[in-house]
Amino acid sequence: LSDTAFLAEATSCRKCGTGLGPQALFCPACGGLVHSDRLQELAAEAEAAEARGDISAALNAWSDARGLLPEGTRQREVIAARKDALSRRLMDQTEQPAAKPEEKGSAGKKAGIGAAILAFLAKFWGVLLTVLGKAKFLLFGLSKLSTMASMLVYAAYAWRVFGWGVGLGWVVCLYIHEMGHVWELRKFGIKAGAPVFIPGFGALVLLKEHPANPKVDARIGLAGPLWGLGASVAAVLVYLATHAEVWLAIGSIAAVINLFNLIPVWQLDGGRGFNALNKQQRWIALGFLVLFFFATHQTTLVLVMLGAGYRVFAHAPEEGDWRTLGLYLFLALVFAMMSPGGVAGAASIR
Ligand SMILES: [Zn+2]
Ligand SMILES: [Zn+2]
Protein backbone atom coordinates (compact mmCIF):
# COMPACT_ATOMS: atom_id res chain seq x y z
CA LEU A 1 0.00 0.00 0.00
CA SER A 2 2.73 2.43 1.05
CA ASP A 3 4.35 2.57 -2.39
CA THR A 4 1.16 3.60 -4.18
CA ALA A 5 -0.38 5.81 -1.48
CA PHE A 6 1.17 8.98 -2.88
CA LEU A 7 -0.44 8.33 -6.27
CA ALA A 8 -3.71 9.71 -4.95
CA GLU A 9 -2.08 13.12 -4.37
CA ALA A 10 -1.80 14.03 -8.05
CA THR A 11 -5.20 15.44 -9.07
CA SER A 12 -4.22 17.74 -11.93
CA CYS A 13 -1.38 17.98 -14.45
CA ARG A 14 1.36 20.33 -13.25
CA LYS A 15 2.25 21.26 -16.82
CA CYS A 16 -1.17 22.16 -18.25
CA GLY A 17 -3.55 21.91 -15.30
CA THR A 18 -5.81 19.24 -16.83
CA GLY A 19 -7.71 17.17 -14.22
CA LEU A 20 -6.32 13.66 -13.71
CA GLY A 21 -7.92 10.36 -12.67
CA PRO A 22 -6.68 8.77 -9.44
CA GLN A 23 -4.55 6.12 -11.21
CA ALA A 24 -3.38 8.30 -14.13
CA LEU A 25 0.28 7.91 -15.08
CA PHE A 26 0.28 10.42 -17.93
CA CYS A 27 -1.76 13.52 -18.76
CA PRO A 28 -4.40 12.85 -21.45
CA ALA A 29 -4.11 16.47 -22.69
CA CYS A 30 -0.37 17.13 -22.99
CA GLY A 31 1.00 13.56 -22.60
CA GLY A 32 3.33 14.63 -19.76
CA LEU A 33 4.30 12.03 -17.16
CA VAL A 34 2.38 12.61 -13.92
CA HIS A 35 5.20 11.34 -11.70
CA SER A 36 8.17 12.82 -13.54
CA ASP A 37 9.73 14.23 -10.35
CA ARG A 38 9.45 10.95 -8.49
CA LEU A 39 10.78 9.10 -11.55
CA GLN A 40 13.89 11.29 -11.57
CA GLU A 41 14.35 10.67 -7.85
CA LEU A 42 14.04 6.91 -8.34
CA ALA A 43 16.48 6.93 -11.26
CA ALA A 44 18.99 8.84 -9.11
CA GLU A 45 18.36 6.39 -6.25
CA ALA A 46 18.99 3.45 -8.56
CA GLU A 47 22.21 4.98 -9.92
CA ALA A 48 23.47 5.72 -6.40
CA ALA A 49 22.65 2.18 -5.22
CA GLU A 50 24.45 0.70 -8.21
CA ALA A 51 27.46 2.95 -7.59
CA ARG A 52 27.81 1.69 -4.03
CA GLY A 53 27.35 -1.91 -5.17
CA ASP A 54 23.87 -2.51 -3.74
CA ILE A 55 22.44 -4.16 -6.86
CA SER A 56 19.30 -5.32 -5.08
CA ALA A 57 18.41 -1.76 -4.01
CA ALA A 58 19.03 -0.56 -7.58
CA LEU A 59 16.71 -3.27 -8.94
CA ASN A 60 13.99 -2.31 -6.47
CA ALA A 61 14.26 1.39 -7.35
CA TRP A 62 13.95 0.59 -11.07
CA SER A 63 10.96 -1.61 -10.28
CA ASP A 64 9.25 1.28 -8.46
CA ALA A 65 10.02 3.56 -11.41
CA ARG A 66 8.57 1.03 -13.84
CA GLY A 67 5.29 1.09 -11.92
CA LEU A 68 5.00 4.87 -12.50
CA LEU A 69 5.42 4.62 -16.26
CA PRO A 70 2.51 3.96 -18.64
CA GLU A 71 2.53 0.60 -20.44
CA GLY A 72 4.16 0.52 -23.86
CA THR A 73 6.51 3.45 -23.20
CA ARG A 74 10.13 3.32 -24.29
CA GLN A 75 11.28 4.09 -20.75
CA ARG A 76 9.73 0.81 -19.62
CA GLU A 77 11.79 -1.09 -22.19
CA VAL A 78 14.93 0.73 -21.10
CA ILE A 79 14.23 -0.19 -17.48
CA ALA A 80 13.58 -3.84 -18.45
CA ALA A 81 16.98 -3.99 -20.20
CA ARG A 82 18.63 -2.32 -17.23
CA LYS A 83 17.03 -4.80 -14.81
CA ASP A 84 18.14 -7.72 -16.99
CA ALA A 85 21.78 -6.54 -16.88
CA LEU A 86 21.63 -5.82 -13.13
CA SER A 87 20.00 -9.21 -12.41
CA ARG A 88 22.80 -10.98 -14.26
CA ARG A 89 25.37 -9.01 -12.26
CA LEU A 90 23.60 -9.94 -9.01
CA MET A 91 23.62 -13.62 -9.96
CA ASP A 92 27.32 -13.50 -10.84
CA GLN A 93 28.05 -11.71 -7.57
CA THR A 94 26.29 -14.26 -5.37
CA GLU A 95 26.96 -17.45 -7.26
CA GLN A 96 30.50 -17.30 -8.57
CA PRO A 97 32.89 -19.05 -6.17
CA ALA A 98 35.35 -16.39 -4.99
CA ALA A 99 38.54 -18.36 -5.61
CA LYS A 100 39.25 -21.91 -6.72
CA PRO A 101 42.78 -22.93 -5.72
CA GLU A 102 43.89 -26.02 -7.65
CA GLU A 103 44.71 -28.86 -5.26
CA LYS A 104 47.08 -31.72 -5.96
CA GLY A 105 46.99 -35.26 -4.48
CA SER A 106 44.33 -36.85 -2.27
CA ALA A 107 45.43 -35.01 0.90
CA GLY A 108 45.04 -31.70 -0.90
CA LYS A 109 41.71 -32.85 -2.30
CA LYS A 110 40.48 -33.81 1.19
CA ALA A 111 41.55 -30.43 2.52
CA GLY A 112 39.74 -28.87 -0.43
CA ILE A 113 36.53 -30.77 0.35
CA GLY A 114 36.84 -29.83 4.03
CA ALA A 115 37.28 -26.20 3.10
CA ALA A 116 34.30 -26.42 0.74
CA ILE A 117 32.11 -27.88 3.51
CA LEU A 118 33.28 -25.17 5.92
CA ALA A 119 32.61 -22.50 3.30
CA PHE A 120 29.16 -23.98 2.72
CA LEU A 121 28.38 -24.00 6.47
CA ALA A 122 29.67 -20.45 6.80
CA LYS A 123 27.48 -19.37 3.91
CA PHE A 124 24.48 -21.22 5.36
CA TRP A 125 25.09 -19.60 8.74
CA GLY A 126 25.43 -16.20 7.08
CA VAL A 127 22.11 -16.66 5.30
CA LEU A 128 20.46 -17.86 8.52
CA LEU A 129 21.70 -14.78 10.41
CA THR A 130 20.50 -12.50 7.63
CA VAL A 131 17.09 -14.13 7.73
CA LEU A 132 16.84 -13.96 11.52
CA GLY A 133 18.03 -10.37 11.40
CA LYS A 134 15.07 -9.63 9.21
CA ALA A 135 12.35 -11.03 11.45
CA LYS A 136 10.23 -8.21 10.12
CA PHE A 137 10.57 -9.80 6.70
CA LEU A 138 9.38 -13.19 7.96
CA LEU A 139 6.32 -11.51 9.46
CA PHE A 140 5.64 -9.59 6.24
CA GLY A 141 3.10 -12.11 4.97
CA LEU A 142 1.38 -12.27 8.34
CA SER A 143 0.83 -8.52 8.35
CA LYS A 144 -1.17 -8.80 5.13
CA LEU A 145 -4.85 -9.38 5.70
CA SER A 146 -5.26 -11.47 2.53
CA THR A 147 -2.45 -13.80 3.59
CA MET A 148 -3.66 -14.06 7.19
CA ALA A 149 -7.29 -14.72 6.23
CA SER A 150 -6.48 -17.29 3.55
CA MET A 151 -3.97 -18.94 5.89
CA LEU A 152 -6.62 -19.37 8.60
CA VAL A 153 -9.04 -20.92 6.10
CA TYR A 154 -6.22 -23.18 4.95
CA ALA A 155 -5.34 -24.13 8.54
CA ALA A 156 -8.96 -25.13 9.18
CA TYR A 157 -8.85 -27.26 6.03
CA ALA A 158 -5.50 -28.84 6.96
CA TRP A 159 -6.80 -29.51 10.49
CA ARG A 160 -9.78 -31.42 9.09
CA VAL A 161 -7.58 -33.52 6.82
CA PHE A 162 -4.71 -34.34 9.19
CA GLY A 163 -5.69 -33.21 12.71
CA TRP A 164 -4.37 -30.05 14.35
CA GLY A 165 -0.71 -30.99 14.93
CA VAL A 166 0.13 -32.05 11.40
CA GLY A 167 -2.29 -29.50 9.94
CA LEU A 168 -0.59 -26.60 11.70
CA GLY A 169 2.90 -27.85 10.82
CA TRP A 170 1.81 -28.20 7.21
CA VAL A 171 0.63 -24.57 7.05
CA VAL A 172 3.88 -23.32 8.63
CA CYS A 173 5.94 -25.31 6.11
CA LEU A 174 3.89 -23.84 3.25
CA TYR A 175 4.37 -20.35 4.64
CA ILE A 176 8.15 -20.81 4.81
CA HIS A 177 8.10 -22.11 1.23
CA GLU A 178 6.25 -18.98 0.05
CA MET A 179 8.59 -16.68 1.93
CA GLY A 180 11.44 -18.26 -0.04
CA HIS A 181 9.78 -16.91 -3.19
CA VAL A 182 9.16 -13.50 -1.58
CA TRP A 183 12.80 -13.27 -0.45
CA GLU A 184 14.11 -13.88 -3.95
CA LEU A 185 11.49 -11.60 -5.55
CA ARG A 186 12.66 -8.74 -3.35
CA LYS A 187 16.29 -9.51 -4.04
CA PHE A 188 15.68 -9.15 -7.79
CA GLY A 189 13.30 -6.20 -7.38
CA ILE A 190 10.19 -7.86 -8.81
CA LYS A 191 6.80 -6.55 -7.71
CA ALA A 192 4.50 -9.27 -6.35
CA GLY A 193 1.51 -9.70 -4.07
CA ALA A 194 1.57 -11.21 -0.58
CA PRO A 195 1.26 -15.04 -0.38
CA VAL A 196 -2.29 -16.39 -0.68
CA PHE A 197 -3.32 -19.86 0.53
CA ILE A 198 -5.73 -21.98 -1.51
CA PRO A 199 -7.19 -25.03 0.30
CA GLY A 200 -6.62 -28.28 -1.60
CA PHE A 201 -3.86 -26.73 -3.69
CA GLY A 202 -1.27 -24.94 -1.61
CA ALA A 203 -0.21 -21.32 -1.64
CA LEU A 204 1.08 -18.90 -4.22
CA VAL A 205 2.53 -15.46 -4.76
CA LEU A 206 1.23 -13.60 -7.81
CA LEU A 207 3.87 -11.69 -9.77
CA LYS A 208 3.01 -8.19 -10.96
CA GLU A 209 5.85 -8.05 -13.49
CA HIS A 210 7.88 -10.55 -15.50
CA PRO A 211 11.26 -11.66 -14.16
CA ALA A 212 14.15 -10.05 -16.07
CA ASN A 213 15.23 -13.32 -17.74
CA PRO A 214 14.67 -17.12 -17.51
CA LYS A 215 17.53 -17.57 -15.03
CA VAL A 216 15.95 -15.10 -12.62
CA ASP A 217 12.59 -16.83 -13.18
CA ALA A 218 14.22 -20.14 -12.17
CA ARG A 219 15.86 -18.63 -9.08
CA ILE A 220 12.48 -17.35 -7.91
CA GLY A 221 10.71 -20.62 -8.72
CA LEU A 222 13.19 -22.90 -6.96
CA ALA A 223 13.65 -20.61 -3.93
CA GLY A 224 10.28 -21.85 -2.59
CA PRO A 225 11.20 -25.56 -2.61
CA LEU A 226 14.69 -24.70 -1.30
CA TRP A 227 13.25 -22.91 1.76
CA GLY A 228 10.63 -25.67 1.92
CA LEU A 229 13.46 -28.18 2.16
CA GLY A 230 14.81 -26.27 5.16
CA ALA A 231 11.39 -26.55 6.83
CA SER A 232 11.06 -30.28 6.04
CA VAL A 233 14.55 -31.07 7.30
CA ALA A 234 13.95 -29.04 10.48
CA ALA A 235 10.76 -31.06 11.15
CA VAL A 236 12.60 -34.37 10.62
CA LEU A 237 15.43 -33.22 12.93
CA VAL A 238 12.89 -32.43 15.66
CA TYR A 239 11.46 -35.94 15.13
CA LEU A 240 14.93 -37.48 15.50
CA ALA A 241 15.43 -35.54 18.74
CA THR A 242 11.97 -36.13 20.26
CA HIS A 243 10.71 -39.30 18.50
CA ALA A 244 7.28 -37.65 18.33
CA GLU A 245 5.80 -39.06 15.09
CA VAL A 246 3.83 -35.90 14.35
CA TRP A 247 7.10 -34.19 13.30
CA LEU A 248 7.98 -36.96 10.87
CA ALA A 249 4.49 -36.70 9.38
CA ILE A 250 4.87 -32.90 9.00
CA GLY A 251 8.29 -33.29 7.36
CA SER A 252 7.14 -35.90 4.88
CA ILE A 253 3.85 -34.20 3.98
CA ALA A 254 5.74 -30.96 3.36
CA ALA A 255 8.19 -32.95 1.23
CA VAL A 256 5.49 -34.45 -1.00
CA ILE A 257 3.83 -31.03 -1.48
CA ASN A 258 7.19 -29.55 -2.48
CA LEU A 259 7.78 -32.47 -4.85
CA PHE A 260 4.38 -31.85 -6.42
CA ASN A 261 5.40 -28.22 -6.94
CA LEU A 262 8.45 -29.41 -8.88
CA ILE A 263 6.22 -30.74 -11.70
CA PRO A 264 7.70 -28.64 -14.52
CA VAL A 265 4.48 -27.23 -16.00
CA TRP A 266 2.36 -24.06 -15.82
CA GLN A 267 3.32 -21.58 -13.14
CA LEU A 268 4.38 -24.34 -10.73
CA ASP A 269 7.85 -23.88 -9.22
CA GLY A 270 9.26 -26.66 -11.38
CA GLY A 271 7.81 -24.96 -14.46
CA ARG A 272 9.74 -21.79 -13.61
CA GLY A 273 12.89 -23.83 -13.01
CA PHE A 274 12.58 -25.54 -16.40
CA ASN A 275 12.26 -22.15 -18.14
CA ALA A 276 16.03 -21.75 -17.67
CA LEU A 277 16.95 -25.23 -18.99
CA ASN A 278 17.90 -25.83 -22.63
CA LYS A 279 16.92 -28.98 -24.59
CA GLN A 280 19.99 -30.97 -23.56
CA GLN A 281 19.53 -30.13 -19.88
CA ARG A 282 15.84 -31.10 -20.03
CA TRP A 283 16.80 -34.52 -21.41
CA ILE A 284 19.35 -34.91 -18.61
CA ALA A 285 16.72 -33.90 -16.04
CA LEU A 286 14.26 -36.46 -17.45
CA GLY A 287 16.91 -39.19 -17.36
CA PHE A 288 17.74 -38.51 -13.71
CA LEU A 289 14.06 -38.32 -12.76
CA VAL A 290 13.51 -41.81 -14.22
CA LEU A 291 16.49 -43.05 -12.18
CA PHE A 292 15.10 -41.38 -9.04
CA PHE A 293 11.76 -43.08 -9.65
CA PHE A 294 13.29 -46.55 -9.84
CA ALA A 295 15.40 -45.79 -6.76
CA THR A 296 12.60 -44.41 -4.56
CA HIS A 297 9.34 -45.77 -6.11
CA GLN A 298 7.80 -42.39 -5.26
CA THR A 299 4.58 -42.16 -7.29
CA THR A 300 4.54 -38.31 -7.33
CA LEU A 301 7.71 -38.57 -9.43
CA VAL A 302 5.60 -40.06 -12.24
CA LEU A 303 3.82 -36.70 -12.57
CA VAL A 304 7.16 -34.87 -12.45
CA MET A 305 8.51 -37.21 -15.17
CA LEU A 306 5.44 -36.64 -17.37
CA GLY A 307 5.87 -32.89 -17.04
CA ALA A 308 9.58 -33.13 -17.87
CA GLY A 309 8.80 -35.37 -20.86
CA TYR A 310 6.43 -32.71 -22.16
CA ARG A 311 8.95 -29.90 -21.63
CA VAL A 312 11.66 -31.83 -23.52
CA PHE A 313 9.63 -31.22 -26.70
CA ALA A 314 8.40 -27.72 -25.78
CA HIS A 315 10.18 -24.47 -26.59
CA ALA A 316 13.53 -24.14 -24.78
CA PRO A 317 16.14 -21.36 -24.65
CA GLU A 318 19.54 -21.85 -26.32
CA GLU A 319 21.38 -20.66 -23.23
CA GLY A 320 20.97 -23.17 -20.42
CA ASP A 321 21.66 -22.93 -16.70
CA TRP A 322 23.57 -25.82 -15.12
CA ARG A 323 23.13 -24.43 -11.63
CA THR A 324 19.34 -24.60 -12.00
CA LEU A 325 19.57 -28.18 -13.31
CA GLY A 326 21.71 -29.24 -10.34
CA LEU A 327 19.48 -27.57 -7.78
CA TYR A 328 16.31 -28.93 -9.40
CA LEU A 329 17.55 -32.53 -9.41
CA PHE A 330 18.91 -32.25 -5.86
CA LEU A 331 15.52 -31.00 -4.62
CA ALA A 332 13.58 -33.68 -6.55
CA LEU A 333 15.72 -36.50 -5.14
CA VAL A 334 15.65 -35.34 -1.52
CA PHE A 335 11.89 -34.66 -1.56
CA ALA A 336 11.24 -38.06 -3.20
CA MET A 337 13.25 -39.71 -0.42
CA MET A 338 11.47 -37.76 2.32
CA SER A 339 7.91 -38.18 0.96
CA PRO A 340 5.50 -40.70 2.53
CA GLY A 341 6.53 -44.14 1.33
CA GLY A 342 10.11 -42.95 0.86
CA VAL A 343 13.07 -43.58 3.17
CA ALA A 344 12.32 -40.92 5.77
CA GLY A 345 8.56 -40.96 5.34
CA ALA A 346 8.20 -44.75 5.75
CA ALA A 347 6.88 -44.64 9.30
CA SER A 348 4.60 -41.65 8.83
CA ILE A 349 0.91 -41.51 8.08
CA ARG A 350 -0.69 -44.07 5.73
ZN1 LIG B 1 -0.92 18.03 -19.04
ZN1 LIG C 1 6.32 -22.37 -4.68
Side-chain angles (χ1 to χ4, degrees), residues 224-240:
L226 189 59
W227 282 45
L229 177 66
S232 274
V233 168
V236 171
L237 287 179
V238 174
Y239 163 72
L240 290 175

mmCIF file of all heavy atoms in Angstrom, residues 224-240:
data_model
loop_
_atom_site.group_PDB
_atom_site.id
_atom_site.type_symbol
_atom_site.label_atom_id
_atom_site.label_comp_id
_atom_site.label_asym_id
_atom_site.label_seq_id
_atom_site.Cartn_x
_atom_site.Cartn_y
_atom_site.Cartn_z
ATOM 1 N N GLY A 224 11.352 -21.312 -3.445
ATOM 2 C CA GLY A 224 10.282 -21.848 -2.593
ATOM 3 C C GLY A 224 10.602 -23.253 -2.107
ATOM 4 O O GLY A 224 10.673 -23.505 -0.898
ATOM 5 N N PRO A 225 10.836 -24.201 -3.029
ATOM 6 C CA PRO A 225 11.198 -25.556 -2.608
ATOM 7 C C PRO A 225 12.484 -25.591 -1.773
ATOM 8 O O PRO A 225 12.603 -26.424 -0.867
ATOM 9 C CB PRO A 225 11.393 -26.305 -3.931
ATOM 10 C CG PRO A 225 10.555 -25.570 -4.904
ATOM 11 C CD PRO A 225 10.583 -24.128 -4.475
ATOM 12 N N LEU A 226 13.432 -24.699 -2.067
ATOM 13 C CA LEU A 226 14.685 -24.698 -1.297
ATOM 14 C C LEU A 226 14.413 -24.324 0.161
ATOM 15 O O LEU A 226 14.904 -24.973 1.083
ATOM 16 C CB LEU A 226 15.686 -23.727 -1.931
ATOM 17 C CG LEU A 226 17.112 -23.777 -1.382
ATOM 18 C CD1 LEU A 226 17.712 -25.157 -1.553
ATOM 19 C CD2 LEU A 226 17.996 -22.746 -2.073
ATOM 20 N N TRP A 227 13.630 -23.290 0.380
ATOM 21 C CA TRP A 227 13.254 -22.915 1.756
ATOM 22 C C TRP A 227 12.349 -24.003 2.337
ATOM 23 O O TRP A 227 12.422 -24.309 3.523
ATOM 24 C CB TRP A 227 12.537 -21.572 1.774
ATOM 25 C CG TRP A 227 13.460 -20.396 1.650
ATOM 26 C CD1 TRP A 227 14.504 -20.266 0.778
ATOM 27 C CD2 TRP A 227 13.440 -19.202 2.433
ATOM 28 N NE1 TRP A 227 15.112 -19.060 0.960
ATOM 29 C CE2 TRP A 227 14.493 -18.382 1.962
ATOM 30 C CE3 TRP A 227 12.631 -18.732 3.471
ATOM 31 C CZ2 TRP A 227 14.756 -17.120 2.504
ATOM 32 C CZ3 TRP A 227 12.883 -17.468 4.006
ATOM 33 C CH2 TRP A 227 13.948 -16.688 3.523
ATOM 34 N N GLY A 228 11.496 -24.576 1.496
ATOM 35 C CA GLY A 228 10.630 -25.672 1.924
ATOM 36 C C GLY A 228 11.445 -26.860 2.411
ATOM 37 O O GLY A 228 11.073 -27.539 3.367
ATOM 38 N N LEU A 229 12.578 -27.090 1.746
ATOM 39 C CA LEU A 229 13.458 -28.179 2.160
ATOM 40 C C LEU A 229 13.985 -27.905 3.565
ATOM 41 O O LEU A 229 14.029 -28.813 4.408
ATOM 42 C CB LEU A 229 14.631 -28.320 1.171
ATOM 43 C CG LEU A 229 15.658 -29.387 1.531
ATOM 44 C CD1 LEU A 229 15.043 -30.771 1.458
ATOM 45 C CD2 LEU A 229 16.881 -29.309 0.621
ATOM 46 N N GLY A 230 14.355 -26.651 3.816
ATOM 47 C CA GLY A 230 14.810 -26.272 5.156
ATOM 48 C C GLY A 230 13.754 -26.602 6.199
ATOM 49 O O GLY A 230 14.061 -27.181 7.250
ATOM 50 N N ALA A 231 12.490 -26.292 5.893
ATOM 51 C CA ALA A 231 11.394 -26.549 6.832
ATOM 52 C C ALA A 231 11.199 -28.048 7.041
ATOM 53 O O ALA A 231 11.049 -28.516 8.178
ATOM 54 C CB ALA A 231 10.108 -25.907 6.305
ATOM 55 N N SER A 232 11.229 -28.823 5.954
ATOM 56 C CA SER A 232 11.057 -30.279 6.043
ATOM 57 C C SER A 232 12.171 -30.910 6.873
ATOM 58 O O SER A 232 11.918 -31.755 7.738
ATOM 59 C CB SER A 232 11.082 -30.911 4.642
ATOM 60 O OG SER A 232 9.815 -30.877 4.065
ATOM 61 N N VAL A 233 13.403 -30.508 6.587
ATOM 62 C CA VAL A 233 14.548 -31.072 7.299
ATOM 63 C C VAL A 233 14.467 -30.714 8.781
ATOM 64 O O VAL A 233 14.716 -31.558 9.648
ATOM 65 C CB VAL A 233 15.883 -30.583 6.674
ATOM 66 C CG1 VAL A 233 17.064 -30.912 7.568
ATOM 67 C CG2 VAL A 233 16.064 -31.208 5.291
ATOM 68 N N ALA A 234 14.077 -29.466 9.077
ATOM 69 C CA ALA A 234 13.951 -29.042 10.478
ATOM 70 C C ALA A 234 12.933 -29.930 11.196
ATOM 71 O O ALA A 234 13.183 -30.390 12.326
ATOM 72 C CB ALA A 234 13.535 -27.582 10.550
ATOM 73 N N ALA A 235 11.798 -30.215 10.531
ATOM 74 C CA ALA A 235 10.760 -31.057 11.151
ATOM 75 C C ALA A 235 11.293 -32.464 11.417
ATOM 76 O O ALA A 235 11.071 -33.039 12.489
ATOM 77 C CB ALA A 235 9.523 -31.111 10.263
ATOM 78 N N VAL A 236 12.042 -33.020 10.447
ATOM 79 C CA VAL A 236 12.598 -34.373 10.619
ATOM 80 C C VAL A 236 13.643 -34.378 11.743
ATOM 81 O O VAL A 236 13.717 -35.329 12.532
ATOM 82 C CB VAL A 236 13.200 -34.898 9.292
ATOM 83 C CG1 VAL A 236 13.965 -36.192 9.516
ATOM 84 C CG2 VAL A 236 12.093 -35.118 8.261
ATOM 85 N N LEU A 237 14.430 -33.307 11.852
ATOM 86 C CA LEU A 237 15.433 -33.224 12.929
ATOM 87 C C LEU A 237 14.745 -33.200 14.298
ATOM 88 O O LEU A 237 15.216 -33.847 15.241
ATOM 89 C CB LEU A 237 16.311 -31.976 12.750
ATOM 90 C CG LEU A 237 17.330 -32.034 11.606
ATOM 91 C CD1 LEU A 237 18.109 -30.725 11.514
ATOM 92 C CD2 LEU A 237 18.285 -33.216 11.765
ATOM 93 N N VAL A 238 13.627 -32.453 14.393
ATOM 94 C CA VAL A 238 12.889 -32.431 15.661
ATOM 95 C C VAL A 238 12.370 -33.836 15.973
ATOM 96 O O VAL A 238 12.423 -34.298 17.116
ATOM 97 C CB VAL A 238 11.717 -31.414 15.614
ATOM 98 C CG1 VAL A 238 10.874 -31.515 16.886
ATOM 99 C CG2 VAL A 238 12.237 -29.995 15.445
ATOM 100 N N TYR A 239 11.924 -34.560 14.933
ATOM 101 C CA TYR A 239 11.464 -35.937 15.132
ATOM 102 C C TYR A 239 12.598 -36.802 15.675
ATOM 103 O O TYR A 239 12.415 -37.569 16.628
ATOM 104 C CB TYR A 239 10.940 -36.532 13.821
ATOM 105 C CG TYR A 239 10.845 -38.033 13.865
ATOM 106 C CD1 TYR A 239 9.859 -38.665 14.637
ATOM 107 C CD2 TYR A 239 11.758 -38.832 13.177
ATOM 108 C CE1 TYR A 239 9.789 -40.040 14.713
ATOM 109 C CE2 TYR A 239 11.690 -40.218 13.247
ATOM 110 C CZ TYR A 239 10.711 -40.818 14.013
ATOM 111 O OH TYR A 239 10.648 -42.181 14.100
ATOM 112 N N LEU A 240 13.792 -36.662 15.074
ATOM 113 C CA LEU A 240 14.930 -37.482 15.501
ATOM 114 C C LEU A 240 15.296 -37.182 16.954
ATOM 115 O O LEU A 240 15.744 -38.060 17.681
ATOM 116 C CB LEU A 240 16.139 -37.228 14.593
ATOM 117 C CG LEU A 240 15.989 -37.777 13.165
ATOM 118 C CD1 LEU A 240 17.180 -37.380 12.307
ATOM 119 C CD2 LEU A 240 15.815 -39.297 13.176
#
